[in-house]
Amino acid sequence: MKLSEADRLIYGRLTGIDWPSKRETYFAPQVAKWQIAFIPWEFGYLAVVTDSARKKIASIEFLREGGEGLSLRVRQAAYFSGYLSHDGKILTPEAPDLDDECEVLKLARRELRLYLSGGHEIRIPYKFPEGTAFQKRVWEETLKIPYGSVKTYADIAEIIQPDKDKTGQMARAVGRALAANPLPIIIPCHRVIGSNQMLIGFGGGVDVKDYLLQLEMWHAIPTA
């Protein structure tokens, strides 16, 4: 994508970073230490962000039509890399040069493609998110849910707080903690559903949650 001088100036004002000399499918401004890969899939792109050392995955976001719910960093990267238009439409940039993409993003591409083909549990080095003690406990319990299985918000609430009288309130708190999960798919919050078996509360959209659950249940991995 060729940027006008006005776009370059806007980018500089927003980020304080010079526009990189070569546009690629990953986004790595010259001053920033992280990289972002935009991986195409059924619902647009998975925006996969590394940590500052480029050794682990720090977050995954869903880039969909409209561009809603994105962090400022990913929104800027999507726009200036040619994946998102000014009016929120998903775009397909020209074939990129991936020579300088860091190893953890190359691994993330392979692992996510295998996962999305069915029957594969993701194995990617990731940075466990920062959060409150409660959020971390919820994320830790969510990581224990096997591929192809589900738990309810109440199930996780009862593990954390066995007092039955507080389960309802705690279940809502579990939902809020999962809504703050920056590593969907890796920390599989899509495997947590409502007590009435309803699919609720997923940042990528309920249709994405349904898609991921159907994928896993159709290709369930046998347990040893």
Side-chain angles (χ1 to χ4, degrees):
M1 180 180 70
K2 293 183 178 179
L3 291 184
S4 67
E5 188 60 29
D7 278 338
R8 291 174 186 272
L9 289 172
I10 291 169
Y11 176 78
R13 290 186 188 126
L14 285 171
T15 65
I17 298 170
D18 291 333
W19 175 252
S21 58
K22 181 171 62 177
R23 183 197 58 73
E24 290 141 347
T25 196
Y26 66 89
F27 185 81
Q30 292 169 349
V31 178
K33 296 180 180 179
W34 42 264
Q35 286 187 350
I36 302 178
F38 292 94
I39 302 172
W41 78 308
E42 187 80 10
F43 296 91
Y45 293 95
L46 294 171
V48 184
V49 186
T50 71
D51 64 357
S52 59
R54 300 184 183 180
K55 298 295 184 184
K56 297 180 179 181
I57 300 304
S59 65
I60 296 177
E61 298 183 32
F62 299 95
L63 175 56
R64 304 190 62 176
E65 198 74 20
E68 297 178 357
L70 297 174
S71 66
L72 179 60
R73 173 170 61 181
V74 168
R75 179 180 293 278
Q76 290 172 350
Y79 168 64
F80 286 103
S81 297
Y83 291 91
L84 188 67
S85 70
H86 287 284
D87 56 357
K89 288 186 170 55
I90 296 293
L91 304 175
T92 303
E94 297 175 3
D97 179 353
L98 302 180
D99 289 345
D100 296 327
E101 186 175 63
C102 66
E103 290 302 315
V104 74
L105 283 185
K106 292 177 182 177
L107 176 61
R109 286 181 187 281
R110 292 194 297 270
E111 285 290 307
L112 284 166
R113 284 169 181 158
L114 286 170
Y115 170 77
L116 293 171
S117 67
H120 180 78
E121 184 68 280
I122 293 176
R123 296 176 179 85
I124 307 173
Y126 64 90
K127 180 181 178 182
F128 194 84
E130 296 294 329
T132 66
F134 178 77
Q135 286 175 327
K136 289 180 178 180
R137 180 71 191 282
V138 171
W139 298 334
E140 287 166 355
E141 292 300 328
T142 303
L143 277 167
K144 298 175 185 177
I145 305 173
Y147 183 105
S149 300
V150 295
K151 281 190 176 181
T152 67
Y153 297 98
D155 289 336
I156 295 177
E158 288 177 10
I159 294 171
I160 297 172
Q161 171 54 266
D163 186 342
K164 298 285 186 181
D165 293 336
K166 298 181 179 178
T167 297
Q169 180 180 356
M170 187 64 71
R172 289 188 289 275
V174 168
R176 290 191 293 271
L178 291 177
N181 170 26
L183 283 167
I185 300 180
I186 294 177
I187 298 178
C189 50
H190 61 279
R191 296 176 191 163
V192 185
I193 62 176
S195 296
N196 56 2
Q197 306 301 303
M198 292 292 290
L199 304 184
I200 55 176
F202 188 68
V206 173
D207 55 342
V208 171
K209 186 170 188 171
D210 181 57
Y211 179 89
L212 295 175
L213 287 175
Q214 293 288 345
L215 173 75
E216 292 186 3
M217 291 177 182
W218 185 259
H219 298 279
I221 300 172
T223 56

